[in-house]
Amino acid sequence: MTNLVPPVESAENAGANRRRWLLGAVASAATLGGAALAWRRYQPQTLAPSAEATLWQLEFPGLDGGVFRMASMQGRPVLLNFWATWCPPCVEELPLLSSFYRENSAKGWQVLGLAVDQMEPVKRFLARSPVTFPVALAGLPGVELGKSLGNVSGGLPFTVVLGSDGRVAHRKIGKVSPDDLRAWAALK
C-alpha cells in the first residue's frame, strides 16, 4: 500500500523555503521594475502640444535686469541647459557649452543657460567664469520646467536639444560630453 500523505516538513526547512520564495519574489519584482524603467527611458518622449507651445511663450529674468524671451529663439535649433552654481558637474560642463556655442552659432545654433539658482550667486560666478552664450534666471520654477521637458527626477545638469521645428530632439540628465555635442551639432 502506498502512503499518500506528504512528509512533514521540519520548521527549519519550511523557514528556508519561505525565505527562498520571498527572495525570489523580491528579485523578480526588482527585475521587472528595472526592465520597465529601462523600457520607459528608451521610449521616444514628446511634450504635449500645449507644453511645446508654452515653452516658446516663457520669459525669464535676464542677468542685466531685462527679460529674456524664449520666442526670440524660435525657428532655430536650441541647446537649453539647466544648471546651478552649486552643482559641480554643471560648472564643469560650462566651458564645453561655450565652445559648442562659439563653433556652431554661425550655423544657426543657439545656447541658453537657465540657472536654477538665485541672481546674485549666478552674477558672481559668471563674473569669475564667463560664458559665451546667454544665461537667464529660471530659479526654483526651472525645476518644474525641466520636469515638463522630461527631467522627471529634477536632477542637474539637464540639457534639452530643440530642433528648428521647436520639438524636443534630445534630452540628457548629467554632464554633457564632447561626443554628445558632436552628435547634436549634426541636427537641425
Side-chain angles (χ1 to χ4, degrees):
M1 182 167 189
T2 340
N3 185 358
L4 298 176
V5 178
V8 177
E9 232 180 328
S10 72
E12 189 176 299
N13 284 344
N17 285 338
R18 264 188 252 119
R19 282 191 297 276
R20 275 193 292 270
W21 181 87
L22 184 58
L23 184 59
V26 169
S28 295
T31 301
L32 287 173
L37 183 62
W39 178 83
R40 181 169 184 250
R41 181 177 181 177
Y42 292 104
Q43 293 305 303
Q45 297 177 7
T46 58
L47 294 173
S50 61
E52 283 180 352
T54 302
L55 174 66
W56 299 109
Q57 295 172 6
L58 295 176
E59 298 178 344
F60 300 98
L63 300 181
D64 61 358
V67 174
F68 187 90
R69 291 174 177 78
M70 283 299 296
S72 69
M73 300 185 111
Q74 202 165 7
R76 295 185 291 160
V78 177
L79 188 150
L80 187 60
N81 181 259
F82 293 82
W83 70 286
T85 58
W86 44 263
C87 165
C90 299
V91 171
E92 290 170 14
E93 75 180 0
L94 289 176
L96 276 174
L97 297 175
S98 277
S99 294
F100 176 84
Y101 181 67
R102 268 193 316 277
E103 295 164 10
N104 295 286
S105 61
K107 300 172 193 167
W109 272 94
Q110 305 169 95
V111 174
L112 175 63
L114 283 178
V116 181
D117 211 323
Q118 296 178 8
M119 183 72 75
E120 287 310 311
V122 172
K123 283 182 171 181
R124 279 193 308 271
F125 175 83
L126 292 175
R128 290 187 316 267
S129 305
V131 295
T132 57
F133 54 88
V135 173
L137 194 67
L140 196 54
V143 174
E144 290 306 312
L145 174 59
K147 286 181 179 181
S148 77
L149 292 169
N151 182 7
V152 291
S153 69
L156 292 176
F158 175 57
T159 304
V160 179
V161 177
L162 302 155
S164 300
D165 61 0
R167 293 196 162 157
V168 174
H170 287 282
R171 296 174 183 85
K172 178 156 186 177
I173 298 173
K175 193 167 89 171
V176 299
S177 71
D179 289 339
D180 293 326
L181 294 172
R182 274 190 290 280
W184 297 339
L187 299 174
K188 284 291 173 179

